[in-house]
Amino acid sequence: MPRRGGGRHSEIRHNQPSPVPSQQTSSNAEGSGRGGGSRGGHTVQYSSPAYPPPPSSTPATFAPSVATPVASTSSSPSLSSPATVSSERLSSEVEQKLTLQTASVPSSVKALRFPNRPGFGRLGRKIQVRANHFQLQVADKDLHHYDVSISPEIASKKVSRDVMNQLVKMHQATMLGNLIPAYDGRKSLFTAGPLPFTSKVFVVNLVDGNGGSSSGSTKKKREREFKVTIQFASKTDMFGLNQFLSRLQLDCPYETIQALDVALRVTSSEMYTVAGRSFFSPSFGAPGPLGGGTEFYRGYYQSIRPTQMGLSLNIDVSSRAFYEPILVTEFVAKHFNLNLSRQLSDQDCVKIKKALRGVKVQLSHGDGIRTYKINGVSKEPLRNLTFTLDDQITKKKVIDYFREKYKIELKYPILPALQAGNDTKPVYFPMELCRIQPGQRYSKRLNEEQVTALLRATCQRPPQRESDIKQIVKQHGFKTDKVVREFGIDVREDLALVDARVLSPPTLKYHGTGGESKIDPRMGQWNMINKKMVDAGKVQFWSCICFSTRINSTEFCAELIRMCQAKGMLFSREPLVPITQANPKQIERELVELHKQCKTSLDRMKQVGRLQLLIVILPDFKGKAYDSIKRVCETELGIVSQCVQPRQAVKMQKQYLENLSLKINVKVGGRNTVLNDAFEKKIPLVTDKPTIIFGADVTHPQPGEDSSPSIAAVVASMDWPWVTKYRGIVSTQPHREEIIQDLYKTIVHPQRGIVHSGMIRELILAFYKETKFKPERIIFYRDGVSEGQFSQVLLYEMDAIRKACVSIENGYLPQVTFVVVQKRHHTRLFPVGRDQTDRSGNIMPGTVVDTHICHPREFDFYLNSHAGIQGTSRPAHYHVLFDENNFSADQLQSLTNNLCYTYARCTRSVSIVPPAYYAHLLAFRARYYTDADASDADSGSGSRGVNVQVKLPAIMDNVKEVMFYC
C-alpha cells in the first residue's frame, strides 16, 4: 500500500476536604454514572403551607456565637454563627466515627465500616421470588496470585491473552507444574496451587496473523518476541472468605473473589467480545440494525457477589451497539447522511475523522486480508494524493497505483483517504476498499433513533428474560469448563429462590368534591377522578407561545386551563398577553420579545408581579429547541415554563392534560398530594422532629464528550413534615468526578474574611427560612455511586455535611442517615406464580428483598417500588453507608417505599425514591444550560479527560423557588 512522504476547572475552592483513598475496594464494582447543574442558590420563598407545623415542635433559632462573625453567602432568618471547630479536627472525628474497630470480629486492616444490618424486615405479605443469582460452591484450595509483566508492553487484552495462551501451551506440563492458570488480560495471573517458582522470565514468540507488508508484496507472516515475567505476589485461601460470608470477619477478602471471578471469565473472554463485565457474540442471537452504520449484539453480564447465601454468580442478558461490518463509504453515507458524489466540507471531514478514529478496517485487495487501525483522514482528496516509490525519487498518484497494480478503478476519488500508521509516516487507503472489521464496540453516543431501536429490540418480558438467562448458563457449560474445574468452582444452574415481602402502599391525601379525600393506590397507581390537589397553586399571569403549525394553541390552552381548574387550581382564563404564534427558527428572539411584552403589560396594568407560567408548544421538528427554551427561560428571563409536545397536545387526551396539570401545579408552588401518615404525623423518624430529606446525583457527559464537565445536583425537602416540595442546586465539577465537590466550601474574601458556602449549607438555611425550624435529622439519598466508590464518597461527603452544619452554628450536628441508591445493577427479580404479578407480568410494586442475595452483614435491600410498564422491572438497590438515626429495617424500607408514591409528575409510584429522582432530573436540566456542544468538538487529540472551563449560568431566583425541573 502506498506510503506518503512527508483545562483546569474554573471554580476556586479553598480548605475543602480531600477525598480519602478507598481502603476497601470491590473487584466486582459496577461502573455508573450519569450526567446536569448550576451553582449557588438563594433562600426559597413558598406560599404559606396548607397545614400548620405540628404544635409539639418548637421553632428553633440558630444561636449566635461569641466567635468572630463570618460572612454567609446565603441569607437566613436569624444570625448564623461560624464554625469554631477546626476543619482538621472535624475531618478526623468524622473518619474516626466511620472507622469502627470491633473487638469481637477480627479485622485484617483498618477499613471503613458500614452499618451492620439492624435485623430483617417483617412488614408486608411474605412471598418468594426468583433472582438471577446462581449459587457457587468452591473447594477449599490455596489460591496464588502472580504479577505478570509483558515486554514490550501490549495495549490490547486480546493480544496479551494470546501471548499467555502461547506460554501455557509451551510450558504447562513442565515449568507451570501442570496447573491451568487464570489470566485477567492485564497484570494478574491466578493459580489453584503454587507454581514451581517464585519468579521466572519466559520468552514467547507470537505469530502475527495480520500478515503481509503494507504493499502486500510478501506473504511471510510477522513473528514478534515477548518477554513475560511471572512473579509471586500473594497467597490466599478460602478460609477468610468463608469467615466473611459467615459474618465472623469484617473485611471482605476481595483478592480471593477476584481470583474466582477471573477463573470464571477466562473461557468467555477468549470466545466472545468483552465489554467491561459483559460478553457479546452473534452466537447469542443474530445482530440487529440500529441505524447509522451500527447494529446491536446480544450477550450477557457476569459478576461474583458475596451474599447471605454464600457466593453468588449474577448473570443477566445484555445488549450493546457495535459497528456494522460494512465498507467505510457505506458507513459514512449512513452515519452522516452524506452524498458521496460531492466533495466533503472540512467540517464533514472532521466529523468522519472523529467517528472512525481507532476503528479497525480490513483490506482484501491483493494477497490475503490485512487489518489496520484508522487514526485519521487525509487533508486532501484521494485524487491529489501521491507517494514516493521504492527508488525514493519517483512520485506516483494513489489512484494510478491502484489502477495499475490491482486493476481497480476507484469510484470516489474526491473523498479523503483513510490514514493509518503515524503522522510522520502515514499510510493511506481508499475508503471504498476498506471494510470495518466485525465485532467492534461502538462507544460513541447513540442518537435518539438508535437508543429507541436498541430498547425496542432488547425489551423482554420477565418469562423471556428468565428463560434467556437460564439458556446462557446452560450454553456456557460451567461444569465442563476446564479452568472453572481447576479452581474447584461448582455453579448451580437454577435461579436462586429468595424470600421477599410485598409492602402495602401508603394512603394518599387529596381534596375531594366534598372536602378531604383519601386514596389507597392499587398496583402502584391511582387516579384523580373527582379529586383535587391537596394544595393547589394559583396562576394569575400566564401566556402561551406556539412554535408548531399543527395545533390550535388557543383551543389547547382553554382545555388545559379547564383541567387545571378541575384539579383545584386558581387559574386565570385570560393570558397576560395574547397567545403568540412564533418562528421556530428564532426561538431565543421570540422568547425575549414575549418577555418584554409581558413586562410592558404588567406596567400598563400597574400590577406588581411577573409572568408566573409560560406554556410553550414545541416545534414540529426534532432538534435542540427544548434545550434552548429551558436555558433562556430559566437562566436569562426568569420564566417558569411548561413545554408541550405538539403530537401529544393535538389529541387533547384527558390523561395527558391531567399529567400536565400535575407538573404545572408544582411549578407554581403547589403540592399535588401528601402521605396521610405525614399529615397525621405518624412517619417514624421523620415527623417526630424537624427532618430534611436530601437527594443527590452526579451526571457525567456522554461517551465521546471527553472534556465536558460533570454536573452535580442536590435537592432537599422544604416542607416538613410533608416532604413533598424540593428545592434544588446544581454545580459543575471536573470531568467524570463522582464525589460532589461543592457540598461545602469556603473562600477567603479580602474584606469579609472566610466565607462559608456550599450546597448543604444553602439548603439547610432555606429549610429554616421556610419552616422556621432547623433540621434535627438529615436523611441523605445519594444516587449514582458504584460499590468501589462507597468509601471515598462517604468519607468526603459526610465530612462536607458535618462542616456545612457546623459552619451555620457551632456544635450544630444533626443526626445523619446516608443511603446510596443504585439503579444500574444487574439483579432482576422474577415472580414464582401468576398471582404475584402486576399487569405487565413483573413482580408487584412494594416487593422488598433483604435476605439471601443481599450483603452478608451490611444494611442493604432491593425494593421494587413501581409497577412494570414494558420489559422486566429493575428493583432499586438501597445500601446504608451511615446511620446515626438508627433506622430499623422496616422503618427505612417503608419510608423509602412510601416516598415513591409522592413523585409530583404522575399518579404512579416510581422506581427510585423521589429526592434522588429529582436530583437526577435537575442535573440533566443543567446540561441544557451549557452553550458548547461538546459532541461536535474534536476529542481525538489524545487529551482525554482534560477539563475545559465551562461556566454554568445561574438559575434566576424566582425560578429556583419552585420545582421548575419537574
Side-chain angles (χ1 to χ4, degrees):
M1 183 48 43
R3 294 180 183 269
R4 189 181 187 197
R8 186 179 174 184
H9 196 274
S10 60
E11 286 185 336
I12 301 173
R13 295 188 293 272
H14 299 280
N15 303 325
Q16 288 215 79
S18 299
V20 180
S22 172
Q23 295 172 321
Q24 178 176 315
T25 58
S26 170
S27 65
N28 62 335
E30 296 172 35
S32 69
R34 295 207 294 266
S38 133
R39 295 183 349 189
H42 295 72
T43 307
V44 171
Q45 285 279 8
Y46 284 123
S47 58
S48 298
Y51 310 108
S56 59
S57 299
T58 305
T61 58
F62 289 122
S65 168
V66 295
T68 306
V70 178
S72 169
T73 55
S74 300
S75 59
S76 63
S78 65
L79 178 64
S80 298
S81 65
T84 56
V85 181
S86 71
S87 294
E88 293 77 9
R89 178 184 162 193
L90 193 57
S91 297
S92 175
E93 288 175 354
V94 170
E95 185 169 357
Q96 187 176 15
K97 190 162 187 176
L98 294 174
T99 308
L100 308 176
Q101 296 297 327
T102 308
S104 60
V105 181
S107 171
S108 59
V109 293
K110 179 183 176 184
L112 200 60
R113 306 287 171 234
F114 303 134
N116 287 325
R117 188 180 301 280
F120 297 95
R122 297 178 180 274
L123 293 178
R125 179 167 60 90
K126 293 182 179 179
I127 62 168
Q128 286 189 316
V129 295
R130 281 188 292 268
N132 58 336
H133 286 242
F134 299 84
Q135 192 169 8
L136 298 182
Q137 297 292 336
V138 185
D140 188 9
K141 293 195 174 188
D142 289 337
L143 306 180
H144 290 66
H145 179 198
Y146 294 86
D147 287 331
V148 175
S149 175
I150 301 177
S151 178
E153 193 171 337
I154 303 171
S156 166
K157 275 189 175 184
K158 184 182 183 307
V159 177
S160 297
R161 287 193 177 99
D162 289 343
V163 171
M164 290 303 299
N165 286 340
Q166 182 68 12
L167 187 153
V168 171
K169 185 178 179 181
M170 293 165 58
H171 303 294
Q172 181 183 354
T174 54
M175 297 182 188
L176 299 184
N178 249 335
L179 295 176
I180 303 176
Y183 175 55
D184 72 349
R186 288 293 184 213
K187 302 289 185 182
S188 293
L189 181 140
F190 300 94
T191 57
L195 291 172
F197 56 82
T198 56
S199 180
K200 196 168 189 66
V201 179
F202 297 85
V203 176
V204 177
N205 292 315
L206 188 69
V207 176
D208 188 351
N210 198 26
S213 65
S214 60
S215 64
S217 59
T218 174
K219 297 180 183 178
K220 185 178 180 181
K221 291 189 175 181
R222 187 161 59 105
E223 192 175 85
R224 290 182 288 172
E225 182 179 284
F226 297 95
K227 287 186 178 179
V228 182
T229 304
I230 300 177
Q231 187 169 5
F232 174 75
S234 61
K235 175 187 172 184
T236 183
D237 57 36
M238 294 301 299
F239 177 77
L241 179 58
N242 290 329
Q243 290 289 95
F244 173 76
L245 295 172
S246 302
R247 296 183 288 282
L248 298 174
Q249 175 178 307
L250 285 175
D251 295 336
C252 180
Y254 285 111
E255 188 177 25
T256 305
I257 292 178
Q258 182 189 7
L260 300 174
D261 186 59
V262 171
L264 283 163
R265 297 171 63 84
V266 167
T267 302
S268 297
S269 298
E270 294 174 356
M271 293 173 61
Y272 310 127
T273 301
V274 184
R277 298 202 154 271
S278 298
F279 305 99
F280 299 95
S281 169
S283 65
F284 297 114
L290 291 179
T294 62
E295 61 185 7
F296 68 87
Y297 275 22
R298 303 181 193 274
Y300 68 96
Y301 167 93
Q302 174 182 310
S303 176
I304 291 184
R305 303 189 64 80
T307 66
Q308 293 170 30
M309 65 180 187
L311 283 182
S312 109
L313 187 63
N314 181 204
I315 292 182
D316 190 24
V317 294
S318 185
S319 296
R320 189 173 180 125
F322 283 74
Y323 286 92
E324 270 191 282
I326 54 179
L327 291 173
V328 172
T329 44
E330 259 189 278
F331 173 82
V332 169
K334 283 184 176 183
H335 195 74
F336 299 105
N337 196 25
L338 291 175
N339 178 6
L340 301 185
S341 61
R342 63 172 182 82
Q343 190 161 339
L344 303 181
S345 66
D346 291 343
Q347 188 178 9
D348 289 336
C349 290
V350 168
K351 290 180 178 179
I352 292 171
K353 176 183 176 182
K354 182 181 177 183
L356 292 175
R357 183 184 288 266
V359 175
K360 292 179 180 177
V361 295
Q362 295 176 334
L363 292 97
S364 56
H365 65 273
D367 298 322
I369 297 176
R370 289 148 296 158
T371 303
Y372 296 87
K373 182 182 285 188
I374 300 306
N375 62 21
V377 297
S378 63
K379 295 179 181 178
E380 303 172 65
L382 193 62
R383 64 187 176 191
N384 296 341
L385 287 177
T386 60
F387 68 100
T388 306
L389 296 179
D390 292 340
D391 62 8
Q392 304 297 318
I393 299 172
T394 310
K395 287 188 176 291
K396 195 171 192 67
K397 281 192 171 185
V398 171
I399 56 174
D400 293 338
Y401 172 83
F402 277 94
R403 183 187 303 114
E404 296 169 10
K405 177 77 174 178
Y406 300 108
K407 313 299 183 190
I408 296 175
E409 194 70 42
L410 297 176
K411 300 176 183 176
Y412 301 104
I414 61 173
L415 295 181
L418 297 178
Q419 178 185 325
N422 53 50
D423 290 335
T424 56
K425 203 171 185 182
V427 184
Y428 290 118
F429 307 104
M431 285 188 190
E432 60 194 270
L433 300 183
C434 298
R435 183 173 294 274
I436 295 174
Q437 182 174 300
Q440 293 184 81
R441 286 178 289 149
Y442 183 80
S443 58
K444 308 288 193 304
R445 177 179 182 174
L446 296 175
N447 60 37
E448 187 178 338
E449 290 77 11
Q450 289 170 322
V451 170
T452 302
L454 184 60
L455 291 175
R456 187 185 300 118
T458 58
C459 182
Q460 293 177 301
R461 291 292 191 191
Q464 183 62 50
R465 194 182 195 99
E466 185 179 1
S467 174
D468 286 356
I469 291 170
K470 288 179 181 177
Q471 182 59 35
I472 285 167
V473 176
K474 186 177 180 181
Q475 181 175 332
H476 185 284
F478 288 104
K479 294 188 184 299
T480 57
D481 188 314
K482 62 180 182 180
V483 183
V484 173
R485 294 176 62 184
E486 170 84 1
F487 280 73
I489 304 172
D490 180 61
V491 182
R492 291 191 60 180
E493 294 189 354
D494 298 321
L495 279 77
L497 193 63
V498 179
D499 291 333
R501 291 167 290 116
V502 180
L503 301 178
S504 299
T507 298
L508 303 176
K509 190 170 184 61
Y510 282 94
H511 280 308
T513 52
E516 292 183 356
S517 179
K518 298 176 183 178
I519 293 179
D520 292 312
R522 296 186 61 186
M523 284 296 176
Q525 53 189 319
W526 62 98
N527 64 59
M528 285 182 64
I529 297 174
N530 298 324
K531 302 292 186 298
K532 294 185 178 182
M533 296 146 177
V534 73
D535 187 10
K538 181 180 179 181
V539 179
Q540 184 179 358
F541 305 125
W542 67 277
S543 189
C544 172
I545 186 167
C546 181
F547 293 106
S548 170
T549 58
R550 63 190 294 185
I551 184 171
N552 184 327
S553 52
T554 302
E555 183 182 351
F556 172 78
C557 288
E559 288 296 321
L560 178 59
I561 291 169
R562 273 194 285 271
M563 176 60 74
C564 290
Q565 291 172 336
K567 297 306 169 187
M569 293 184 67
L570 297 175
F571 209 120
S572 173
R573 288 187 177 276
E574 296 300 322
L576 178 60
V577 297
I579 294 173
T580 304
Q581 188 70 37
N583 182 356
K585 295 182 180 179
Q586 298 288 337
I587 286 175
E588 186 166 349
R589 191 185 72 182
E590 296 279 13
L591 290 171
V592 170
E593 180 59 32
L594 178 68
H595 186 243
K596 287 179 182 177
Q597 292 176 20
C598 291
K599 290 181 69 176
T600 302
S601 180
L602 285 168
D603 291 342
R604 186 174 61 250
M605 297 162 57
K606 296 183 180 179
Q607 289 281 352
V608 177
R610 62 190 306 152
L611 185 70
Q612 295 167 287
L613 176 71
L614 177 63
I615 300 168
V616 182
I617 301 176
L618 295 170
D620 299 321
F621 56 84
K622 293 181 180 180
K624 299 209 170 197
Y626 182 86
D627 307 23
S628 301
I629 290 164
K630 293 300 181 183
R631 175 181 57 81
V632 172
C633 286
E634 293 163 3
T635 68
E636 297 178 17
L637 304 179
I639 295 175
V640 175
S641 60
Q642 177 58 57
C643 290
V644 177
Q645 286 284 0
R647 67 177 182 273
Q648 295 291 338
V650 73
K651 302 173 188 175
M652 297 194 193
Q653 294 177 337
K654 284 189 175 181
Q655 186 62 58
Y656 181 67
L657 295 173
E658 183 178 290
N659 287 345
L660 287 178
S661 72
L662 296 177
K663 297 175 72 173
I664 289 171
N665 189 51
V666 296
K667 287 182 179 181
V668 298
R671 187 187 286 109
N672 294 337
T673 185
V674 297
L675 297 171
N676 190 63
D677 282 353
F679 177 73
E680 297 180 356
K681 300 180 281 294
K682 291 182 179 177
I683 303 179
L685 299 177
V686 173
T687 54
D688 58 326
K689 60 184 180 182
T691 300
I692 185 170
I693 301 181
F694 285 91
D697 190 20
V698 177
T699 59
H700 303 295
Q702 292 281 355
E705 297 181 16
D706 297 334
S707 57
S708 298
S710 292
I711 299 180
V714 180
V715 303
S717 59
M718 293 286 122
D719 62 338
W720 177 81
W722 305 291
V723 292
T724 57
K725 290 184 179 181
Y726 290 82
R727 177 184 174 91
I729 303 175
V730 284
S731 175
T732 56
Q733 57 188 48
H735 178 79
R736 301 219 165 266
E737 172 60 64
E738 183 55 53
I739 295 172
I740 301 176
Q741 304 292 298
D742 286 350
L743 289 179
Y744 169 74
K745 59 183 179 179
T746 61
I747 60 172
V748 179
H749 191 275
Q751 282 81 39
R752 294 184 289 167
I754 296 176
V755 178
H756 300 275
S757 63
M759 297 164 136
I760 298 295
R761 176 187 169 93
E762 181 174 329
L763 290 169
I764 288 176
L765 290 174
F767 177 95
Y768 177 66
K769 184 172 182 181
E770 284 301 308
T771 65
K772 302 302 183 285
F773 295 95
K774 65 179 178 182
E776 297 179 40
R777 183 186 292 116
I778 292 174
I779 301 172
F780 197 92
Y781 286 103
R782 177 66 159 89
D783 196 6
V785 181
S786 66
E787 291 173 5
Q789 298 169 308
F790 279 3
S791 299
Q792 288 176 284
V793 168
L794 178 62
L795 273 176
Y796 184 88
E797 295 184 4
M798 265 304 304
D799 190 48
I801 292 170
R802 285 283 186 250
K803 288 177 178 174
C805 292
V806 172
S807 77
I808 295 173
E809 180 182 70
N810 186 29
Y812 173 53
L813 294 171
Q815 294 168 314
V816 181
T817 297
F818 194 108
V819 186
V820 166
V821 187
Q822 291 178 304
K823 196 69 173 147
R824 296 191 176 186
H825 59 81
H826 289 269
T827 292
R828 299 293 185 275
L829 304 175
F830 302 98
V832 171
R834 291 187 177 180
D835 59 333
Q836 299 177 1
T837 68
D838 61 15
R839 287 191 300 177
S840 70
N842 280 284
I843 55 173
M844 290 181 286
T847 301
V848 63
V849 171
D850 60 3
T851 61
H852 293 84
I853 58 173
C854 292
H855 195 279
R857 181 182 61 82
E858 295 168 9
F859 187 5
D860 72 327
F861 58 92
Y862 291 93
L863 173 63
N864 188 83
S865 53
H866 65 299
I869 298 176
Q870 59 181 356
T872 303
S873 296
R874 184 187 340 221
H877 185 214
Y878 296 89
H879 203 127
V880 181
L881 303 191
F882 189 69
D883 184 24
E884 291 178 315
N885 292 299
N886 297 319
F887 274 93
S888 70
D890 279 329
Q891 286 172 338
L892 187 59
Q893 290 166 11
S894 294
L895 171 63
T896 304
N897 184 58
N898 291 352
L899 287 174
C900 290
Y901 286 78
T902 65
Y903 185 62
R905 303 209 300 181
C906 58
T907 54
R908 299 176 65 96
S909 58
V910 288
S911 59
I912 63 171
V913 70
Y917 206 141
Y918 292 145
H920 181 65
L921 292 177
L922 180 57
F924 266 98
R925 172 64 59 82
R927 186 71 62 186
Y928 300 149
Y929 300 158
T930 56
D931 287 324
D933 184 4
S935 63
D936 286 341
D938 181 9
S939 62
S941 58
S943 56
R944 182 174 179 84
V946 175
N947 289 284
V948 294
Q949 293 187 349
V950 177
K951 185 175 180 181
L952 209 56
I955 302 167
M956 302 292 282
D957 291 347
N958 67 299
V959 175
K960 283 196 295 186
E961 291 176 357
V962 294
M963 295 170 67
F964 66 94
Y965 45 82
C966 280

